Amino acid sequence: MAEPELVDVVVVGLGVGGEEVAGKLAEAGLSVVGIERDLVGGECPYWGCIPSKMMIRAANALAEARRVDGLAGTAQVRPDWAPVARRIREEATDTWDDRAAVDRFVGRGGRFVRGSGRLDGPGRVRVGEQVFQARHGIVLGTGTRPSIPPLDGLADTPYWTNRQAIEVEELPASLLVLGAGAIGLELAQVFARFGVAVTVLEASDRVLAVEEPEASEVAAAALRADGVEIRTGVRAERVDHDGGRFTVRAPGGAEFTGDRLLVVTGRRAHLDELGLDTVGVAADQRYLPVDDRLRAAAGIWAVGDLTGEGAFTHVAMYQAAIVVADLLDHVRHTEAGPDASGTASAVGGAVGALGAASGGTGPAGVSGGVPRADYRALPRVTFTDPEVGAVGLTERQARDRGLNVQVGVSPLESSTRGWIHRGDGLIKLVADADRGVLVGATSVGPAGGEVLSGLAVAVHAAVPISQLRHMIYAYPTFHRAVEEALRALR
Ligand SMILES: Cc1cc2nc3c(=O)[nH]c(=O)nc-3n(C[C@H](O)[C@H](O)[C@H](O)COP(=O)(O)OP(=O)(O)OC[C@H]3O[C@@H](n4cnc5c(N)ncnc54)[C@H](O)[C@@H]3O)c2cc1C
């Protein structure tokens, strides 16, 4: 068996979170091994956020052109998928090649190893025949994979996950989408706008079931207007593929057919592959629990989707900054010994400088120079048209927590801009009446994700509602519907 090689830090999984942590620590002068079995950068740049938003940009251009009729004359639109597929291949993913990302990581001072990493006892990571002993810590950033429901027959069919949907070069005539969460709705609307006959099947009684019911209604109406057939309350139980078409069967004899089937029913971390048992951590959990410094166990940090704190790139980046600060703080104390003045070694010196830059004292949520994770104002955006932005708690969540809840809703047309735009949407605010602050907000509209930013500040900083009511909202912006919703709070 190979002798373990001593390094400072091992990062397993170089997706959004892992790549950021590994790169920053390498820049700080630590010896960092980054292990990735697929593509450096992870799901977001190759099969997630970036290519899907390129598709959405193109589909929205079609929709906007179709709005010319009745507003500015007439326009004829002939959709063509070729430029979209080309852009994803050439601009977003380099034909799913991560050479540039690997070079970027190595250029920051990291050492790259291609393969599957696995814990191999305290402080150790095995990748193939190589074993690394981490002097200061191990960071797990292994993300999630699609969670495929155990439907009869499904495993034997050539169904799509988000990966095949993103890589598609030629669109099918018809598509069944299993799952009406954010990813399912975004892709359903894109393909429908390009002329695919799309049917969305959802087991819950509404689309976007984790968001406010009012948002679900607007999103469902928008997709229906694009020609998407939405069937809620459908518990698929069997899938067949006859070599050409898919059939999804539900209880009561309901059947749905399509040329392709896209399964987007959630994502799952695969803890059982990580060797967690070798360090005394249970692997039979849905996600890897972490504390507010992203520590999962002694000497082990986790970052990104794996932690179950929100499957978003912005969560992975936010957590990465905390992991970097905490790990550097840990290194500074280890290197400097009990008198941690921060100048013990070359590495300690570099770390001292970076630690001071990333930490310091002052802001709320920062303790001992290391920021603590706080998800109260976690923002999330579903990039359908209209966009569905949300932050903090929904009304249901706030009531379940026993808060003294007040709710204010205003339709987007209550703002002059919304009326001029003829765009559907709404603002919904959820307040804790006892504290006089917003604890959640939803912003649905043509720029719902952008309007969300002010609401996220309000929830994050607990800005008193009295102050929000007495600030000035620019005329005529979509934001002015927020003022109306504040007035409606009761
Ligand atoms: C279609 C789609 C659209 C999305 N759109 C958005 C969006 O608009 N906005 C947003 O914020 N988020 C979006 N997301 C979510 C976003 O992609 C994820 O939150 C983000 O990629 C999480 O980063 P991560 O580092 O946790 O994991 P990942 O990006 O999944 O990276 C994990 C990496 O670890 C590697 N790995 C796993 N196990 C091992 C192992 N044992 N050894 C070595 N390597 C391993 C994997 O190969 C992978 O590269 C979208 C996701 C999808 C699927």
Side-chain angles (χ1 to χ4, degrees):
M1 210 211 333
E3 271 293 294
E5 187 182 335
L6 192 62
V7 298
D8 287 331
V9 176
V10 180
V11 180
V12 184
L14 297 183
V16 175
E19 186 190 358
E20 176 69 5
V21 169
K24 280 264 160 61
L25 293 178
E27 280 173 350
L30 300 181
S31 64
V32 179
V33 169
I35 304 170
E36 170 58 50
R37 68 170 166 211
D38 205 344
L39 296 180
V40 173
E43 206 70 11
C44 180
Y46 296 103
W47 298 283
C49 336
I50 294 177
S52 68
K53 266 76 242 174
M54 274 186 177
M55 292 159 86
I56 288 167
R57 168 82 177 106
N60 287 358
L62 291 176
E64 196 61 4
R66 289 175 180 132
R67 291 179 187 124
V68 166
D69 281 23
L71 204 59
T74 56
Q76 278 200 334
V77 184
R78 258 187 302 115
D80 179 6
W81 189 251
V84 185
R86 189 181 324 118
R87 207 172 164 213
I88 290 173
R89 215 185 319 111
E90 293 175 6
E91 292 179 34
T93 68
D94 273 346
T95 319
W96 291 274
D97 183 326
D98 68 349
R99 213 164 319 158
V102 171
D103 289 348
R104 188 172 58 220
F105 174 54
V106 172
R108 295 170 88 178
R111 176 167 155 205
F112 178 63
V113 177
R114 182 88 65 191
S116 275
R118 192 181 160 81
L119 295 166
D120 194 31
R124 276 197 311 277
V125 174
R126 169 180 290 279
V127 49
E129 290 302 302
Q130 279 174 293
V131 181
F132 296 99
Q133 179 77 43
R135 193 183 288 121
H136 294 302
I138 294 168
V139 181
L140 302 175
T142 49
T144 54
R145 293 207 296 273
S147 165
I148 304 301
L151 303 181
D152 280 353
L154 177 61
D156 303 324
T157 69
Y159 65 86
W160 282 358
T161 65
N162 62 297
R163 292 202 169 192
Q164 290 76 33
I166 294 287
E167 290 177 13
V168 67
E169 292 275 341
E170 275 187 35
L171 297 184
S174 60
L175 173 73
L176 296 172
V177 179
L178 205 55
I183 297 174
L185 289 198
E186 288 180 3
L187 294 176
Q189 190 175 44
V190 163
F191 289 130
R193 287 180 165 184
F194 274 87
V196 178
V198 180
T199 304
V200 176
L201 305 176
E202 167 60 50
S204 327
D205 60 357
R206 60 188 175 94
V207 304
L208 288 184
V210 296
E211 300 299 353
E212 296 283 11
E214 294 89 342
S216 304
E217 267 178 43
V218 178
L223 265 78
R224 286 195 171 110
D226 279 313
V228 177
E229 185 179 347
I230 295 180
R231 302 293 294 266
T232 53
V234 172
R235 291 203 165 272
E237 58 180 8
R238 182 172 177 83
V239 176
D240 291 293
H241 185 252
D242 65 6
R245 282 172 76 75
F246 288 85
T247 304
V248 175
R249 295 173 213 278
E255 279 187 16
F256 306 90
T257 57
D259 292 329
R260 293 283 174 193
L261 171 66
L262 169 61
V263 180
V264 273
T265 44
R267 301 186 63 88
R268 193 166 92 72
H270 289 260
L271 300 188
D272 49 329
E273 300 172 358
L274 296 178
L276 287 165
D277 52 312
T278 69
V279 294
V281 175
D284 57 348
Q285 314 181 71
R286 194 170 152 81
Y287 296 106
L288 186 56
V290 287
D291 69 9
D292 59 3
R293 285 178 293 175
L294 287 312
R295 295 176 178 209
I300 300 180
W301 283 256
V303 66
D305 285 8
L306 176 72
T307 64
E309 299 288 359
F312 301 103
T313 286
H314 45 271
V315 170
M317 299 293 286
Y318 171 76
Q319 293 178 330
I322 295 172
V323 172
V324 168
D326 193 38
L327 229 154
L328 292 178
D329 192 57
H330 169 76
V331 172
R332 194 166 52 236
H333 283 90
T334 314
E335 296 271 325
D339 174 22
S341 56
T343 53
S345 67
V347 168
V351 166
L354 225 156
S358 63
T361 54
V366 178
S367 159
V370 176
R372 304 297 174 119
D374 170 3
Y375 306 100
R376 276 175 312 119
L378 172 59
R380 47 205 188 268
V381 180
T382 301
F383 291 88
T384 44
D385 173 20
E387 295 173 356
V388 177
V391 61
L393 303 178
T394 61
E395 179 183 353
R396 176 82 272 144
Q397 289 169 331
R399 292 197 190 284
D400 287 349
R401 288 184 189 197
L403 300 183
N404 181 7
V405 173
Q406 283 189 329
V407 171
V409 182
S410 73
L412 207 61
E413 315 90 79
S414 72
S415 71
T416 306
R417 180 71 182 281
W419 173 76
I420 292 171
H421 197 90
R422 292 184 177 166
D424 284 334
L426 57 93
I427 299 290
K428 178 169 178 178
L429 305 178
V430 181
D432 177 348
D434 292 343
R435 289 170 56 226
V437 296
L438 299 181
V439 291
T442 294
S443 153
V444 186
E450 309 301 325
V451 170
L452 186 70
S453 123
L455 295 168
V457 172
V459 174
H460 177 76
V463 180
I465 289 170
S466 54
Q467 279 198 21
L468 294 173
R469 282 192 172 126
H470 291 105
M471 61 178 266
I472 305 171
Y473 296 82
Y475 183 87
T477 60
F478 294 120
H479 298 83
R480 285 182 66 85
V482 172
E483 199 179 25
E484 192 59 36
L486 284 164
R487 241 180 259 134
L489 274 174
R490 59 184 59 89

